[in-house]
Amino acid sequence: MKSRQEAINYCMKYRNVFEDQPFRDKNWTTIRHKENQKVFAWIFERDDHIWINVKGEPEINHHLRQIYHSIVPAYHLNKEHWNSIILDGTVPEKEIYEMVKTSYHLTKERNTYENKNN
């Protein structure tokens, strides 16, 4: 995965999501949940690469930053809970897919039953 469109296409495979461009700057694309409008992927270009901001667990975020130089604290978001993945070909696609999946689930609205039992 290297292009904006590849990133968007992958994120759009998830259920009940939509693509949005919330700013006047067309460089920014977000992928949101339909139910709660929360963003799970921020896609943009910076320094001649496409970046994706995704939410993750703080401990895992820190660990991934130690392993991959192209996973960094998120650009323009909470640096503890969000990472930026720089799509420069150095992070395995399987790892990118797992991070997007985690972000999708962490931002998804939980139903009332789940909330009562957590």
Side-chain angles (χ1 to χ4, degrees):
M1 177 184 313
K2 280 195 165 190
S3 75
R4 174 189 303 272
Q5 198 57 54
E6 286 176 299
I8 292 169
N9 289 348
Y10 180 76
C11 292
M12 289 300 295
K13 290 181 180 183
Y14 284 89
R15 189 170 171 205
N16 293 322
V17 301
F18 68 99
E19 180 180 342
D20 191 17
Q21 290 188 319
F23 310 117
R24 291 183 187 172
D25 181 356
K26 293 200 182 284
N27 183 39
W28 288 87
T29 300
T30 59
I31 309 298
R32 298 175 178 269
H33 294 276
K34 288 181 181 176
E35 294 89 7
N36 62 13
Q37 307 295 303
K38 287 186 178 180
V39 175
F40 73 94
W42 302 74
I43 302 165
F44 57 99
E45 185 173 346
R46 182 168 192 243
D47 300 330
D48 297 321
H49 290 290
I50 298 299
W51 293 40
I52 307 174
N53 286 351
V54 291
K55 190 169 188 175
E57 298 290 345
E59 313 80 43
I60 295 171
N61 285 348
H62 180 73
H63 178 70
L64 290 167
R65 294 172 195 163
Q66 302 305 309
I67 296 172
Y68 303 106
H69 78 274
S70 293
I71 297 178
V72 298
Y75 182 69
H76 277 314
L77 294 174
N78 179 298
K79 312 247 183 272
E80 181 181 1
H81 295 279
W82 291 81
N83 272 341
S84 288
I85 310 165
I86 304 167
L87 301 182
D88 63 0
T90 62
V91 179
E93 284 196 358
K94 183 178 178 183
E95 193 73 66
I96 296 169
Y97 297 157
E98 189 62 33
M99 292 175 71
V100 170
K101 177 181 167 185
T102 297
S103 187
Y104 173 82
H105 288 292
L106 287 174
T107 55
K108 189 174 190 314
E109 191 168 64
R110 291 172 178 83
N111 69 34
T112 306
Y113 179 80
E114 288 174 335
N115 286 336
K116 287 180 181 176
N117 292 302
N118 285 335

